[in-house]
Amino acid sequence: MLIASTELGPIHSNIPLSEDLALGADLSADTHTMVDFGDDTLTAGRAHPMIDPTLRLEHLARAAADSTTGVLLLDVVLGHGADADPASLLAPALAGITQPVVIAVVGTGHDAQDLDRQVRTLVDAGAEVYLSNAAATRRAVALTLGGNR
């Protein structure tokens, strides 16, 4: 949010940079939003989205169906405690999305999920994939602003 807000202005979130930017229970706003599905309020009584992506996939489908959504920015976390093959769960959800999808894959070549295979699966599903949250955010911002900056 810090990187994106320098170019896009205020960003609403369930973990906002200031209270006036807090999202409601529906996790939506009529402007730029970022949702942390790993926040305690969203994981109470359920597995973290690194293990069970159901809540995140449902929100992704709603955001993609919204004609005002311009770009989707996601992260996929590899490593201990994460799903054994997170890209295989996310890739089918990307198939029908018409907006640009930018994904930061956070992990290393030593992770059990096989970083290269995760990246290939997501790229094959139509996403732009970066190995840095900052790089992915900058690309999503550039796409939001309508260019290939």
Side-chain angles (χ1 to χ4, degrees):
M1 283 187 289
L2 290 172
I3 291 171
S5 65
T6 61
E7 296 269 345
L8 300 177
I11 297 176
H12 289 73
S13 179
N14 62 321
I15 55 162
L17 296 176
S18 63
E19 284 305 312
D20 61 314
L21 299 174
L23 289 174
D26 66 350
L27 302 176
S28 67
D30 291 334
T31 186
H32 307 295
T33 62
M34 290 190 179
V35 178
D36 179 358
F37 288 99
D39 184 58
D40 290 346
T41 59
L42 297 178
T43 57
R46 66 182 319 134
H48 191 281
M50 287 172 45
I51 300 165
D52 176 7
T54 303
L55 184 64
R56 178 176 148 162
L57 292 173
E58 290 169 353
H59 186 79
L60 175 62
R62 282 191 306 276
D66 183 342
S67 63
T68 65
T69 298
V71 177
L72 296 153
L73 172 64
L74 302 96
D75 66 353
V76 170
V77 180
L78 309 181
H80 182 71
D83 184 88
D85 190 7
S88 72
L89 300 174
L90 183 55
L94 301 179
I97 294 177
T98 58
Q99 298 93 335
V101 177
V102 180
I103 300 177
V105 175
V106 181
T108 73
H110 298 288
D111 289 318
Q113 293 88 348
D114 186 348
L115 175 67
D116 291 338
R117 183 170 49 84
Q118 297 300 309
V119 169
R120 266 193 319 276
T121 298
L122 296 169
V123 168
D124 289 348
E128 287 188 38
V129 178
Y130 295 83
L131 300 181
S132 155
N133 285 327
T137 301
R138 288 184 184 100
R139 177 60 178 152
V141 166
L143 289 167
T144 299
L145 295 175
N148 291 319
R149 305 175 341 149

